[in-house]
Amino acid sequence: MTDDATPPPTDALRPATPERYRYARIIDVGTKVSLVLLVVTFGVYVTGVVPSGVPRSEVVAHWHEPAETLAETTGSTSGWAWLTDIGRGDHLPFLGLALLGVLTIVGYASLVPVYVLKRRRVYLVIVLIQIAVLVFAAANVLGGLGGH
C-alpha cells in the first residue's frame, strides 16, 4: 500500500523562514513594549503626575461629542497633531497606541535589506508596496476615502 493519499504539507507545517522569525520577533517585542508603555502612560495620566489638557472630571461630559466638537470645546488637537501636545497627560497614552500601529511597518522595513541581499525581488516589491500602503493610510494621503 502506497502513501499516495497523504496530502502535501501545508504552509503551517513547514519550518518558518528566518524572515518570518525576524518579522515575528519585531511584532512580539514591539507589542510587549507598547503594552508596558500604555500601562505606564495611563498610570501617569490617571495619577495626574503630568497635567492633562482636559481635566479627568470633565472627560465624561465630552464623550458624546464628535471629534471636531471635542477639539473645539476642550482645545484638544486631532489627527497627527496630538504629537504637538505630547506633554499633556491625556495625550501620553497615545504613544503606546502609535507604537502598536507602526510595528507592522517596522517589521516589513526590517525585511527590505534581507530581500535585497538575497536578491528576492518579488518579495522586495511586495514588502515595499505594503509599506507604502500603510504609510499612505496612516498619513491619510487619499483624504479619508472610506476611512475614519
Side-chain angles (χ1 to χ4, degrees), residues 8-71:
T10 64
D11 196 44
L13 298 177
R14 289 187 204 138
T17 63
E19 292 85 1
R20 287 182 183 181
Y21 281 116
R22 173 189 286 249
Y23 179 82
R25 190 172 40 255
I26 288 170
I27 299 298
D28 180 50
V29 171
T31 300
K32 290 173 182 168
V33 169
S34 296
L35 291 175
V36 168
L37 189 58
L38 274 167
V39 169
V40 169
T41 55
F42 183 72
V44 168
Y45 163 64
V46 169
T47 58
V49 172
V50 176
S52 296
V54 180
R56 287 187 318 279
S57 59
E58 296 178 22
V59 170
V60 176
H62 297 287
W63 279 351
H64 68 283
E65 297 176 356
E68 294 82 23
T69 307
L70 176 68

Side-chain angles (χ1 to χ4, degrees), residues 62-145:
H62 297 287
W63 279 351
H64 68 283
E65 297 176 356
E68 294 82 23
T69 307
L70 176 68
E72 289 174 15
T73 58
T74 63
S76 295
T77 54
S78 61
W80 285 102
W82 68 269
L83 287 167
T84 62
D85 288 335
I86 199 62
R88 291 174 31 172
D90 50 352
H91 283 87
L92 280 176
F94 293 159
L95 287 172
L97 293 173
L99 180 57
L100 276 172
V102 79
L103 284 177
T104 301
I105 296 171
V106 171
Y108 283 144
S110 77
L111 299 176
V112 169
V114 174
Y115 291 145
V116 167
L117 289 173
K118 289 186 173 185
R119 298 176 193 246
R120 306 219 41 202
R121 291 184 185 105
V122 173
Y123 287 119
L124 177 63
V125 169
I126 291 170
V127 164
L128 291 173
I129 290 170
Q130 280 289 86
I131 291 169
V133 166
L134 292 169
V135 169
F136 286 166
N140 199 19
V141 169
L142 299 177
L145 294 175

